[in-house]
Amino acid sequence: MQTIPFFDAVIIGAGAAGLFCAGQAGQRGLKVLLIDHSEKVAEKIRISGGGRCNFTNRDLDPAAPHKHFVGQNPQFCRSALSRYTPADFIALVQKHGIPFHEKHKGQLFADRSAEDIIAMLLAECEAGGVTRWQPCSVKKIDFLASSASESCRGSYQIDTDHGPVSTGALVIATGGLSIPKIGATDFGYRLAQQFNIPLIERKPGLVPLTFDGAGWAPYAQLAGLALPVQIITGVKKNRMAFDEDLLFTHRGLSGPAVLQISSYWQDGTPLAINLAPTADLPAALAQGKARSRKLIANELATLVPSRLADAWAQREADWQRPINEASDKALARLAEQLARWELTPTGTEGYKKAEVTLGGVDTRVLSQQTMECKTQPGLYFIGEVVDVTGWLGGYNFQWAWASAHACAQALPMEGQ
């Protein structure tokens, strides 16, 4: 009769969270198996940050996760983030001799390549004696409840391409639905449903926004233009604003400003964009009228990019004349509309362009300390599959490291 191999922990998903959890658990002395259905590990790390991996953010405040994280309960991640901080991950990067730099707003990137971060995580797994199976598909997972003693919590039997395995601790680190071309699947959500674990509705996050063709036609010519803006959505306590760069595309808007606001934007609600956030537009246009005979578009080009100035002046006949001939009302209207361009997206570019998935496994059924499911012993969820989504700028990777670390430290060894 075949003996089924037993591991202290089986981790499914060899992305940021899965690799880090495996290495940390292995170095505690656990016998760990890491499974992934793709040939390559950590594709999201590989393509992130323009290929340099924005691996964490110095500005993250573990005591106030609601500042940088979105979800039904952003406070859930406080415990894990406070026990494994950006400084902890930076120390690991330095230990491995990886040079890095801060781009802006606390965002840290590898100097050379994201491959350095992947190599570091693989070296950590090797140091922990982690067994890796890939490509390897999981066909079926069964939970075998224990009838022996209360101390034994039962086990999971996992049927894979490489044969069956058994474990007392199953860790799901399969990520979300974003960027399917690099292997994203709904595996983690399906497994949660198998064990009756509630899910928060999923949708694309950190994603470009789109507009209907006819309405966007006047701006499609601006594709490729980038400029610093302030972007706002929501009102009162739901108001959210970012000061970041905006990028015009053929179908709508992208760039850091839009990716950030997309995680807070609700269908059917407008955005308000200040296209010249550092300028005093009414004063600048009034001064232009007093001293210049140039076309309004030419004067405007001293305040915003010339392509935008030209496109904007085309919107009204009153703006297509020398500035000294324009009425005060027309210039006031121009200043107001540039400072508060209101428009309502019709949708997003979807998971194919989304950097993350909003929603996921409901945090109310997980332990903040261990990431173990309260209703299903020995089952853990870490990383993006959980309903915790960070801002652009290294916050999601830090959540991957912190949730993986919390889980790895809590995983029991055989017999415990």
Side-chain angles (χ1 to χ4, degrees):
M1 183 177 166
Q2 181 190 8
T3 302
I4 297 176
F6 180 88
F7 289 85
D8 292 318
V10 172
I11 300 169
I12 302 178
L19 279 168
F20 192 58
C21 185
Q24 295 286 302
Q27 289 177 47
R28 280 186 55 223
L30 276 72
K31 185 182 178 188
V32 178
L33 171 65
L34 179 61
I35 299 174
D36 198 282
H37 69 113
S38 296
E39 281 190 36
K40 291 183 176 178
V41 297
E43 280 291 271
K44 216 168 198 184
I45 293 178
R46 190 170 277 109
I47 66 170
S48 73
R52 291 197 172 172
C53 185
N54 179 190
F55 57 82
T56 192
N57 195 301
R58 283 195 204 273
D59 294 347
L60 189 152
D61 181 359
H66 62 280
K67 288 182 182 177
H68 297 120
F69 290 88
V70 186
Q72 295 277 312
N73 178 22
Q75 297 296 337
F76 170 82
C77 51
R78 178 186 294 185
S79 174
L81 290 170
S82 62
R83 286 180 290 136
Y84 195 84
T85 67
D88 292 318
F89 195 78
I90 291 165
L92 183 66
V93 169
Q94 291 172 326
K95 176 185 157 192
H96 283 261
I98 299 171
F100 63 92
H101 60 279
E102 182 174 332
K103 200 168 180 182
H104 74 146
K105 296 187 175 181
Q107 301 171 11
L108 301 187
F109 292 77
D111 283 357
R112 295 184 295 241
S113 164
E115 296 287 353
D116 285 350
I117 302 297
I118 297 170
M120 176 189 82
L121 295 170
L122 290 172
E124 289 289 304
C125 283
E126 198 166 315
V130 174
T131 302
R132 284 197 293 126
W133 287 358
Q134 61 181 129
C136 175
S137 292
V138 173
K139 301 172 184 174
K140 188 183 175 192
I141 296 176
D142 290 312
F143 178 66
L144 309 174
S146 171
S147 56
S149 69
E150 289 184 15
S151 63
C152 187
R153 306 185 308 165
S155 65
Y156 293 87
Q157 188 160 318
I158 305 158
D159 190 10
T160 81
D161 283 354
H162 289 35
V165 291
S166 173
T167 185
L170 176 61
V171 181
I172 306 302
T174 48
L177 301 169
S178 47
I179 326 182
K181 70 179 181 185
I182 62 168
T185 74
D186 64 350
F187 179 92
Y189 308 131
R190 283 187 281 116
L191 189 82
Q193 288 171 324
Q194 177 185 333
F195 291 104
N196 296 314
I197 294 162
L199 297 170
I200 304 300
E201 181 187 359
R202 277 82 63 213
K203 62 180 185 176
L206 300 181
V207 65
L209 298 172
T210 57
F211 300 82
D212 71 79
W216 191 248
Y219 310 107
Q221 61 180 307
L222 296 173
L225 175 67
L227 73 161
V229 303
Q230 182 181 65
I231 190 166
I232 302 167
T233 193
V235 293
K236 295 184 179 173
K237 67 182 178 78
N238 293 321
R239 181 184 183 275
M240 201 65 206
F242 288 96
D243 294 292
E244 286 279 9
D245 284 356
L246 176 83
L247 174 69
F248 284 84
T249 72
H250 290 291
R251 287 161 46 87
L253 296 172
S254 187
V258 170
L259 299 187
Q260 293 282 42
I261 212 77
S262 71
S263 293
Y264 296 88
W265 174 72
Q266 300 293 325
D267 282 343
T269 59
L271 302 173
I273 302 173
N274 185 341
L275 292 163
T278 60
D280 183 343
L281 289 166
L285 292 173
Q287 288 167 11
K289 180 176 178 175
R291 62 172 167 70
S292 173
R293 295 180 179 181
K294 290 180 181 176
L295 289 171
I296 288 174
N298 292 343
E299 279 297 321
L300 203 51
T302 64
L303 303 168
V304 298
S306 57
R307 284 171 65 196
L308 178 61
D310 290 340
W312 210 265
Q314 295 300 314
R315 297 176 63 185
E316 284 197 25
D318 286 350
W319 300 339
Q320 295 167 33
R321 60 182 67 191
I323 193 166
N324 63 321
E325 296 176 15
S327 70
D328 291 343
K329 274 189 176 178
L331 292 180
R333 199 164 59 249
L334 174 59
E336 185 185 348
Q337 290 191 22
L338 275 167
R340 193 173 175 84
W341 181 27
E342 285 215 354
L343 65 170
T344 302
T346 51
T348 77
E349 288 283 6
Y351 288 117
K352 69 182 186 293
K353 294 281 183 74
E355 296 201 9
V356 292
T357 304
L358 294 162
V361 173
D362 192 334
T363 56
R364 288 175 296 185
V365 298
L366 301 180
S367 161
Q368 292 183 42
Q369 282 70 40
T370 67
M371 309 304 295
E372 184 178 11
C373 183
K374 297 172 185 174
T375 58
Q376 181 62 40
L379 181 60
Y380 302 76
F381 291 89
I382 59 174
E384 191 184 344
V385 73
V386 179
D387 176 33
V388 171
T389 303
W391 283 12
L392 191 71
Y395 294 97
N396 286 294
F397 276 129
Q398 187 60 36
W399 167 243
W401 317 135
S403 59
H405 182 266
C407 177
Q409 299 308 308
L411 290 170
M413 290 191 193
E414 185 180 6
Q416 283 188 344

